[in-house]
Amino acid sequence: MGLLDKLRNLPTMSEMKGGLGEQLTKFIAKIDIPETLVLHDVLIDGAEDQTSQIDLLLIGAKGIYVVEVKMYTDARVYGDCKKSKWYYYKGGQKYEIYSPYKQNENHIKYLKKFLQDFGDVPCFSILALLCEDFKITNINEDESNPTGIVLSGLLSLRKAVKLLAKDKPDVFTEEKKQEIF
């Protein structure tokens, strides 16, 4: 492979930023939430012979926390968790994106199908939006029993896991967590 071919295979800035956000989240999870087993960049079967790439899975006693990481530098993000179109604004331009929250709902659907031999595995959605300014609405139908959380920073990851796990029974032993892992 020549130099030109190697240059064509280099990741884009967007891919590098996304990978950096995922690596930082993985590092924080391993250090700050040691009671969970951490898997990064998991590929499972999705819809219509496609694969689904999950940024981070945290396997804990209460269930599995499915983490989607999005990094938007110098941008504002606006979305409604009930809608599939979100918007971000950067440099005076408006861009339409597929809802990362809906994306994570699909990850959970495919993950549950993949893990069906383990029964009804409780899964919780965490969206880590790494950007300076965002407004997200309709995150949970029932605020007293949240199933999903949108974070503004990685240091909130432990708090998100604790909030989602609050009042939930333990469903996995250490052995079961290892088996799923």
Side-chain angles (χ1 to χ4, degrees), residues 95-170:
Y95 302 92
E96 183 180 294
I97 57 173
Y98 181 68
S99 163
Y101 197 81
K102 292 283 186 197
Q103 179 183 1
N104 218 30
E105 284 181 343
N106 286 330
H107 291 329
I108 289 171
K109 179 173 75 174
Y110 304 140
L111 182 63
K112 283 180 164 277
K113 183 178 178 187
F114 181 75
L115 296 174
Q116 64 190 351
D117 291 347
F118 292 95
D120 187 19
V121 174
C123 292
F124 308 98
S125 177
I126 298 175
L127 172 57
L129 259 182
L130 308 180
C131 72
E132 296 171 16
D133 183 14
F134 67 85
K135 181 177 180 185
I136 309 300
T137 58
N138 292 313
I139 297 167
N140 288 293
E141 296 282 328
D142 180 3
E143 291 297 327
S144 65
N145 185 26
T147 57
I149 289 184
V150 177
L151 305 177
S152 61
L154 297 178
L155 298 179
S156 307
L157 189 58
R158 181 171 190 66
K159 287 182 185 177
V161 168
K162 286 180 89 169
L163 180 63
L164 290 168
K166 184 181 176 190
D167 300 327
K168 305 279 189 311
D170 285 357

Side-chain angles (χ1 to χ4, degrees), residues 1 21 23 58 116 119-120 128 160:
M1 180 185 309
Q23 289 294 331
L58 309 176
Q116 64 190 351
D120 187 19

Side-chain angles (χ1 to χ4, degrees), residues 9 19 23-24 65 83 112:
N9 290 326
Q23 289 294 331
L24 286 171
Y65 305 88
K83 297 182 179 177
K112 283 180 164 277

